[in-house]
Amino acid sequence: MKDDRVPSVFMAGDSIVKEYSEEEFTGGWGQYLNLFIEGIEYHNYAEGGRSSRSFINLGLLDRIAEEIQAGDYLFIEFCHNDDETKGYETMYDRFVPLGKPDGNGMFPIIKGERISTKFLPSEYMAALASSLTYIDRHTLINAYETIGAYGEYYYPYSHDGKLGTYKWFLKQYIDVARNAGAIPVLVTAPPRFSYRDSNRLADGAGLHGGENYAYIRAVRQLAKEEKVLILDLFTEFKNIGEALGNETAHYLTAIKFGTTTGNWPGDYDAARKNPYTVSEDTHFNKFGAYLLAAKLTELISKQLRKGIKANGSESFESLSPYILDKPAQKIEYPSELRTKINGIKRFFKYDIV
């Protein structure tokens, strides 16, 4: 990158990263990063429901490859939709297997292989056939329509990972960035706010893979193996979620059942008072997403202070002039947090409220 060129940040990810409309209560950290790192360009390609595999199948990584330049950054966060320990319904388009770990717990990097979009994974077909739930015939039609949109060939799901593992798919993003002379950055996905008890987050099926959050461990392994910068958002928000506890933490999340749009935060406050409203565990509301962006920036600043570099020379140094001492704008928080906001503030160096 020339000294006079301002770096751009590209983002590849799912609903935790994407941009939401002003009317939606939900937020993604990708839409608030500019409140902490100002004066650079952002290109947010994140979309809801995407896994590291489907993002590639849809051609979104190819679009990034066409635009990203030397000196830019590619922030990469996938996990929620990759996790194959969930129910089989989205297996054909989203799931990405970890593969069998070796004796040291290291997950393999097995190259993906494209096959015809005329074929669905045998594991999906078997699960569909054996389901005790009535499945409308359109379920299968919709699956074929989904993968048909990928073109003639696609990267499929394979339970044993023989047609591509999670670490291999993530490595494709690293390679795209480095081939362009850009800097890849792995971001661990925040935990789902699903609790074992009032203060301990659960680890298990659909909660990033079980056995001590296997998908998060795989991202950390890949960062070491490929010498990639990593921002461990998972650890930070696991600590925050367990310190706040189940009730308070869910004032940082979106609404699953009930009113989901309106003026922030007043209409969100009103919706939360409705006894039929149910808060969800996965997506963050606008204040929660703002906190994710604040913590990411703090992690970047921490690495800058420590002089951390990856792959010999990759660092956040070119972002340093654009990092603000205080947020350019503060996002209002839900009214129920008034008596608890100090308990949240203590986790942040930024003056967030």
Side-chain angles (χ1 to χ4, degrees):
M1 184 183 74
K2 295 180 180 179
D3 292 340
D4 58 351
R5 182 176 177 272
V6 176
S8 292
V9 169
F10 286 76
M11 289 169 268
D14 53 25
S15 54
I16 306 301
V17 187
K18 68 167 280 190
E19 296 183 22
Y20 292 82
S21 69
E22 185 177 345
E23 293 77 23
E24 293 175 281
F25 295 153
T26 310
W29 61 254
Q31 71 187 93
Y32 294 122
L33 205 56
N34 67 324
L35 300 184
F36 301 91
I37 307 175
E38 193 176 54
I40 65 173
E41 289 190 8
Y42 290 92
H43 305 271
N44 192 343
Y45 280 89
E47 292 187 12
R50 301 296 174 246
S51 69
S52 61
R53 178 170 65 90
S54 67
F55 193 94
I56 293 173
N57 280 331
L58 284 165
L60 294 172
L61 183 57
D62 288 337
R63 289 175 59 187
I64 291 174
E66 291 171 357
E67 296 183 24
I68 197 166
Q69 299 182 46
D72 290 340
Y73 292 81
L74 176 56
F75 283 47
I76 308 152
E77 185 200 297
F78 291 100
C79 178
H80 286 80
N81 299 302
D82 296 69
D83 185 349
E84 70 167 345
T85 62
K86 297 182 291 186
Y88 72 89
E89 289 85 356
T90 59
M91 176 192 293
Y92 62 90
D93 65 330
R94 299 185 187 183
F95 287 5
V96 185
L98 290 167
K100 185 178 180 180
D102 64 18
N104 296 316
M106 302 298 290
F107 294 105
I109 298 177
I110 300 176
K111 184 180 185 298
E113 294 183 28
R114 284 190 169 99
I115 66 169
S116 170
T117 50
K118 294 179 181 179
F119 296 94
L120 288 170
S122 59
E123 296 89 354
Y124 174 74
M125 300 297 284
L128 193 66
S130 63
S131 174
L132 297 177
T133 305
Y134 173 76
I135 302 294
D136 189 283
R137 64 187 179 88
H138 290 295
T139 299
L140 194 56
I141 295 173
N142 290 339
Y144 275 115
E145 288 179 346
T146 297
I147 65 171
Y150 299 151
E152 189 175 356
Y153 297 97
Y154 80 123
Y155 288 110
Y157 168 84
S158 58
H159 179 68
D160 54 7
K162 66 181 180 182
L163 298 179
T165 56
Y166 180 58
K167 285 166 68 172
W168 183 84
F169 282 103
L170 288 180
K171 187 177 181 299
Q172 305 319 295
Y173 298 80
I174 295 169
D175 291 346
V176 161
R178 285 179 169 164
N179 288 341
I183 299 172
V185 180
L186 290 170
V187 180
T188 57
R192 296 184 191 270
F193 282 168
S194 177
Y195 287 75
R196 293 174 56 189
D197 53 42
S198 61
N199 291 97
R200 288 189 299 171
L201 289 173
D203 173 27
L207 303 173
H208 301 349
E211 293 184 19
N212 193 23
Y213 308 100
Y215 279 80
I216 300 300
R217 288 195 289 114
V219 177
R220 294 176 184 143
Q221 289 174 10
L222 185 63
K224 288 183 178 180
E225 291 165 354
E226 298 296 319
K227 298 181 174 60
V228 179
L229 293 171
I230 182 169
L231 300 172
D232 195 355
L233 200 58
F234 175 86
T235 295
E236 297 292 334
F237 269 76
K238 182 175 185 292
N239 292 338
I240 290 171
E242 293 188 336
L244 296 180
N246 190 0
E247 180 180 355
T248 301
H250 277 88
Y251 282 99
L252 304 180
T253 64
I255 290 173
K256 187 173 185 179
F257 298 114
T259 303
T260 59
T261 59
N263 293 320
W264 177 267
D267 289 339
Y268 176 87
D269 292 334
R272 281 297 306 259
K273 292 184 172 90
N274 187 320
Y276 296 103
T277 293
V278 177
S279 293
E280 62 162 289
D281 299 334
T282 300
H283 301 95
F284 289 78
N285 62 33
K286 293 194 178 303
F287 184 65
Y290 162 77
L291 295 184
L292 290 171
K295 184 55 67 178
L296 279 173
T297 309
E298 291 180 1
L299 291 172
I300 290 169
S301 297
K302 183 177 181 180
Q303 293 198 25
L304 282 167
R305 289 194 302 271
K306 291 186 173 183
I308 291 175
K309 293 184 178 181
N311 200 36
S313 61
E314 295 172 353
S315 74
F316 292 111
E317 186 174 353
S318 62
L319 291 180
S320 181
Y322 307 99
I323 296 176
L324 302 177
D325 294 329
K326 59 182 180 180
Q329 175 190 339
K330 295 180 180 180
I331 304 300
E332 292 184 73
Y333 55 85
S335 61
E336 292 295 326
L337 293 178
R338 286 194 188 106
T339 61
K340 302 171 182 178
I341 196 65
N342 287 333
I344 296 174
K345 286 172 63 176
R346 69 187 178 92
F347 288 98
F348 295 87
K349 295 185 183 301
Y350 272 109
D351 180 12
I352 55 172
V353 296

